[in-house]
Amino acid sequence: MAFYQRIRDLREDADKTQTDIAQYLGTTAQYYGKYEKGEREIPFLRAIQLAEYYDVSLDYLAGRTNFPKGRENMPFQEEALHILEKYAALTERSKGRLEQFLDDLCEQQSEDIFRKKEA
């Protein structure tokens, strides 16, 4: 997921407007809107401010992980470890099929969430 999409999703999930976030960052809503559209590269210090505001890691903002707090803070419960053990036992071909299935499932979930927001 691209950085600009991630900051837009975080803002919308927090029920904030572009104006709200722009004020927090000390800029204008129009200028901030360019960050969300990918028309302007966000300065590193503002990225840090956004990560702190939403209480997420910079890696999460950058789309490098899907764990908001970073992998090191993701608690693995026993059932998750059991799933990882099963995954490790799969052939490479089966792992690829499973990963494709998970990608499709995540995409469908995102679409369902988007539809709910529009309703």
Side-chain angles (χ1 to χ4, degrees), residues 72-87:
E72 65 278 357
N73 294 318
M74 180 67 181
F76 282 99
Q77 298 170 347
E78 195 164 322
E79 63 224 31
L81 291 174
H82 184 66
I83 290 169
L84 289 173
E85 289 171 355
K86 287 182 177 183
Y87 177 82

Side-chain angles (χ1 to χ4, degrees), residues 35-115:
Y35 297 152
E36 285 192 3
K37 292 177 188 171
E39 295 174 358
R40 279 231 180 255
E41 191 170 316
I42 190 164
F44 187 65
L45 291 176
R46 285 202 172 141
I48 291 171
Q49 286 178 293
L50 287 173
E52 289 173 350
Y53 182 83
Y54 294 119
D55 194 26
V56 298
S57 70
L58 285 171
D59 279 344
Y60 181 76
L61 274 184
R64 296 184 62 203
T65 181
N66 288 322
F67 299 116
K69 303 283 185 164
R71 291 183 193 274
E72 65 278 357
N73 294 318
M74 180 67 181
F76 282 99
Q77 298 170 347
E78 195 164 322
E79 63 224 31
L81 291 174
H82 184 66
I83 290 169
L84 289 173
E85 289 171 355
K86 287 182 177 183
Y87 177 82
L90 294 174
T91 64
E92 289 304 311
R93 182 175 183 185
S94 292
K95 286 178 183 177
R97 290 173 46 204
L98 177 60
E99 289 167 4
Q100 182 61 51
F101 173 76
L102 289 172
D103 286 344
D104 293 344
L105 188 60
C106 288
E107 185 176 322
Q108 181 63 47
Q109 179 176 297
S110 293
E111 290 172 3
D112 291 345
I113 291 169
F114 181 74
R115 281 191 209 104

